[in-house]
Amino acid sequence: MTSELPGSPVLKVEGVSLAFGGVRALSKVSLEAAEGTITAIIGPNGAGKTSLFNAISGFYRPAEGRILFEGRDISRLRPPARAKLGLARTFQNIALFRGMTVLDNIKLGRHAHLRTNVLDALFYWGRAQREELALRQEIEERIIDFLEIQHIRRAPVGALPYGLQKRVELARALAMRPKILMLDEPVAGMNREETEDMARFILDVKEEWGVTILMVEHDMGMVMDISDHVIVLNFGQVIAQGRPAEVQRDPAVVSAYLGSGDVGELSRRLHARQAA
Amino acid sequence: MRIATLKTSYAGDEALFDTKLQRSLLALFGLVLAVFPFVAGPYWLFMACLVAINVASATGLNILTGYTGLVSLGQAAFMGVGAYTVAILELRVGTPFPVNLLAAGATTALVGAVVGLPSLRVKGLYLAIATIGASVILHFVFANWSLTGEARGLSMPPARLFGNDLDQPFELYWVIVPITAAMILGAANLFRTRIGRAFIAIRDRDISAEVLGIPLLRYKLTSFAISSFYAGVAGGLWAYFFRVVTPESFPLINSIFYLAAIIVGGMGTILGGILGAAFMTMVPEVLKLVVGWFSPYFPDALAALAPIRTIVFGALIVGFLIFEPQGLAEIWARVRRFFHLWPFKT
């Protein structure tokens, strides 16, 4: 599934550094997410993966470096403006609106693309009504149907099991008409079956929707199975990147994950797992 | 037991009142409201108008505090801005009353948006204190500006419609109640669209709202403006109802009254604002009535029971907070569930 010639980069991070007080969370991180691919960022806890995501979505302003989205420098844009351009993300600890129904949560994803103003809203006339009905239809027929969550559309999100909440968060991100979808640990805490479902949805989003995906994930099995490109972070630096199989063999990666020791032995263990 | 409701279009499913039963009950309630002035005495008409004004203001505060999660103790001062705007326009310009009411709403919306500026930085109790600060400033302006009649306040002529003075509760009822109904409908509509959803998103998780493309400051100020617009119109109606506006007309305690109303009614539900304001306005009166019934048997009951009435009222509020934190609207929701599920139980 890996193409040797990836498409042009949708997202390009150039030499981004980020520091909190004396702690350097990221130092000169550069990476690209090629159009129509799945790029995974892996690394031990505290490697700076989520900090990188927060820098890309605009919560942290990097001390140096640039972030380019479709060739345009977005480093100085606020998060809402980045969202409007087509940068969607989910969170590690689900960030849904717990009191709202699944349907309303998903509708919120489209916010930036709707035009209804306060006056339209108060009277619920013309534009407001047209937009709402078109949005409802699209959500029902494209997103809810696609993610197989018809049965819970009226349920308040807070009452749903964890795996379904993750799926609703994906649905909301899809409603944003994303060009790039950033998933922060999409299968963390899921059982095997839920993980497989989610992996299938992520692949389908790439194939059917043509959305570029950048994800942080700890589940190595899934990362190696579905990614086109893997980037390894450790202590805020990119220590390796390449196709999944290449990265797996990289001694620096093995030592970052398993500690230094007999690299050959550990590497063999990894291969054995991969073959299984 | 109701298993489901059948809908054949998305429009049907997105409707505000989506079942026949709901629509018939609403029509029935409308009919009761239309017949009410012809059967009720002046006292009850007076109370009905007062309830409607309070409902309009509480609904406005509910948009800000209940739905957007921004605690405000400035609602009474905002009503004051609306009331003074109406009085000044009546006395100095003489524009027709619907224009004055709209102007009151617009002026107050502007003031509200300015008062809301700190909301980007501060939340919760801190924002509440900031709004108290703003109301103190507004009261100072009311009491010292020559345009607002300083401490004496302003007395104004009644509203006029087609050459008739609207100076009796019976006449004003036909102005106040429909306007309040329209405002409630507007608030309900708001939460069917992206604007209302953005407010709720800000209340529930503001970081997540930003990632979805909701600029926080703009929406917080919009919420302040809409809420203040409601307060301004309610204040304008109040001015036409009482026709004397003084700096003491809208004390800080009234702001607390409205906050209590939406808490008792149910924060973040349209029904909550209505039920809460009606409850808070009517219960003291009903208690007064009950005390009145006892007076023939206990000649000095009136003197003895007056303080008890206040205590009972306070105890009722505390009771609600403890036993029904979701407010009166939740009781109504439970009643509906009961009938939907009958003969089964939840």
Side-chain angles (χ1 to χ4, degrees):
Chain A
M1 78 210 291
T2 311
S3 60
E4 286 304 316
L5 290 169
S8 58
V10 175
L11 184 81
K12 206 168 171 184
V13 175
E14 289 183 348
V16 164
S17 298
L18 190 67
F20 301 107
V23 184
R24 282 183 82 78
L26 297 173
S27 39
K28 297 205 182 295
V29 170
S30 295
L31 57 88
E32 287 181 4
E35 187 168 1
T37 63
I38 297 178
T39 305
I41 301 174
I42 60 172
N45 286 322
K49 303 181 300 287
T50 298
S51 297
L52 178 64
F53 260 34
N54 283 341
I56 295 173
S57 50
F59 288 119
Y60 301 151
R61 182 149 299 171
E64 56 174 336
R66 301 195 300 166
I67 294 160
L68 300 171
F69 180 71
E70 295 188 314
R72 176 180 164 191
D73 186 357
I74 58 165
S75 311
R76 309 208 65 79
L77 293 182
R78 310 240 338 120
R82 297 185 195 203
K84 200 168 179 180
L85 289 177
L87 199 84
R89 77 170 281 187
T90 65
F91 288 83
Q92 188 175 346
N93 44 353
I94 301 168
L96 290 165
F97 306 105
R98 299 177 60 83
M100 298 171 101
T101 62
V102 168
L103 203 51
D104 278 343
N105 264 285
I106 302 173
K107 281 178 179 173
L108 259 163
R110 185 54 59 83
H111 181 89
H113 296 288
L114 299 177
R115 303 261 71 84
T116 300
N117 62 30
V118 172
L119 213 58
D120 298 332
L122 287 170
F123 292 97
Y124 198 71
W125 59 22
R127 178 162 51 185
Q129 194 169 11
R130 251 191 340 268
E131 275 189 349
E132 285 303 317
L133 292 181
L135 173 60
R136 175 75 194 275
Q137 180 165 7
E138 190 189 327
I139 287 176
E140 289 284 353
E141 290 167 13
R142 285 204 68 194
I143 298 173
I144 289 187
D145 195 47
F146 168 67
L147 291 173
E148 297 158 21
I149 46 178
Q150 295 89 338
H151 58 296
I152 51 163
R153 58 162 85 90
R154 293 270 175 214
V157 162
L160 296 176
Y162 182 80
L164 278 178
Q165 291 195 16
K166 282 271 188 192
R167 215 186 286 180
V168 173
E169 211 186 4
L170 178 62
R172 188 179 68 184
L174 285 178
M176 294 174 73
R177 288 195 180 136
K179 293 192 177 116
I180 186 162
L181 184 58
M182 298 163 53
L183 304 170
D184 198 348
E185 303 203 9
V187 301
M190 286 189 177
N191 63 32
R192 184 154 199 91
E193 197 183 341
E194 288 170 328
T195 302
E196 279 169 7
D197 278 344
M198 185 53 88
R200 176 166 60 88
F201 289 131
I202 293 172
L203 276 174
D204 283 349
V205 167
K206 183 186 88 161
E207 303 286 339
E208 288 178 28
W209 296 55
V211 175
T212 308
I213 289 163
L214 183 66
M215 74 176 176
V216 164
E217 186 47 64
H218 279 297
D219 185 321
M220 283 309 136
M222 183 185 127
V223 166
M224 296 305 163
D225 277 350
I226 71 169
S227 331
D228 301 306
H229 190 75
V230 177
I231 294 162
V232 189
L233 278 184
N234 196 19
F235 296 114
Q237 286 175 312
V238 177
I239 58 167
Q241 59 176 312
R243 281 181 293 165
E246 294 163 10
V247 167
Q248 253 175 333
R249 280 194 298 272
D250 196 310
V253 177
V254 176
S255 89
Y257 266 90
L258 304 171
S260 52
D262 184 357
V263 172
E265 210 276 322
L266 295 171
S267 165
R268 271 193 298 283
R269 245 165 55 193
L270 264 177
H271 285 298
R273 251 189 70 198
Q274 191 195 7
Chain B
M1 178 179 159
R2 189 177 83 169
I3 297 164
T5 54
L6 175 71
K7 280 126 187 168
T8 51
S9 70
Y10 291 122
D13 202 33
E14 291 275 321
L16 209 47
F17 299 97
D18 61 350
T19 62
K20 259 198 189 114
L21 180 68
Q22 272 182 319
R23 282 191 288 266
S24 0
L25 283 178
L26 194 72
L28 190 70
F29 183 65
L31 197 70
V32 168
L33 282 182
V35 172
F36 181 77
F38 298 102
V39 293
Y43 168 76
W44 288 106
L45 270 173
F46 175 91
M47 286 314 296
C49 291
L50 203 58
V51 167
I53 291 170
N54 285 339
V55 166
S57 187
T59 300
L61 184 64
N62 209 354
I63 292 173
L64 182 66
T65 303
Y67 281 104
T68 321
L70 302 171
V71 183
S72 163
L73 282 170
Q75 197 71 354
F78 292 150
M79 280 180 78
V81 174
Y84 273 109
T85 309
V86 160
I88 291 166
L89 285 175
E90 275 289 341
L91 292 170
R92 306 237 167 169
V93 189
T95 34
F97 83 89
V99 175
N100 296 348
L101 284 176
L102 277 179
T107 313
T108 316
L110 211 65
V111 173
V114 173
V115 172
L117 278 174
S119 68
L120 184 69
R121 291 275 163 202
V122 296
K123 285 188 221 180
L125 286 175
Y126 298 91
L127 182 61
I129 299 297
T131 56
I132 290 181
S135 20
V136 170
I137 294 172
L138 286 171
H139 276 286
F140 182 81
V141 172
F142 296 157
N144 292 284
W145 197 9
S146 58
L147 191 65
T148 56
E150 294 164 8
R152 281 168 291 110
L154 300 168
S155 303
M156 55 181 270
R160 290 178 66 80
L161 188 67
F162 307 125
N164 300 313
D165 281 349
L166 308 178
D167 55 358
Q168 294 303 311
F170 179 83
E171 292 143 1
L172 282 166
Y173 179 92
W174 298 104
V175 173
I176 294 172
V177 171
I179 289 179
T180 299
M183 285 163 80
I184 293 168
L185 185 66
N189 278 337
L190 197 62
F191 294 98
R192 301 162 74 190
T193 66
R194 72 173 193 140
I195 311 273
R197 285 195 297 267
F199 289 167
I200 302 175
I202 290 172
R203 176 192 71 191
D204 284 358
R205 211 180 263 266
D206 48 4
I207 289 197
S208 189
E210 269 199 294
V211 169
L212 295 176
I214 298 167
L216 295 187
L217 181 62
R218 191 196 307 164
Y219 276 89
K220 283 180 176 178
L221 293 188
T222 306
S223 184
F224 259 101
I226 296 175
S227 165
S228 309
F229 180 91
Y230 274 60
V233 173
L237 292 172
W238 191 95
Y240 279 119
F241 194 57
F242 290 101
R243 301 227 308 276
V244 180
V245 185
T246 69
E248 284 80 45
S249 303
F250 302 98
L252 188 61
I253 184 89
N254 283 17
S255 291
I256 297 169
F257 171 91
Y258 291 116
L259 197 57
I262 60 169
I263 292 173
V264 168
M267 296 226 280
T269 57
I270 296 293
L271 191 63
I274 303 170
L275 294 180
F279 179 90
M280 292 285 289
T281 317
M282 291 310 296
V283 166
E285 297 300 318
V286 171
L287 288 174
K288 204 187 283 176
L289 222 67
V290 172
V291 170
W293 292 335
F294 283 110
S295 54
Y297 312 105
F298 309 98
D300 49 356
L302 232 47
L305 289 178
I308 292 180
R309 184 167 61 91
T310 317
I311 293 169
V312 169
F313 184 46
L316 271 174
I317 295 175
V318 175
F320 261 112
L321 292 182
I322 295 172
F323 296 108
E324 206 59 68
Q326 307 288 320
L328 292 163
E330 181 57 29
I331 298 182
W332 174 245
R334 209 177 301 138
V335 169
R336 282 185 56 182
R337 263 201 305 279
F338 175 82
F339 282 106
H340 285 169
L341 288 174
W342 189 86
F344 303 103
K345 284 187 178 153
T346 39

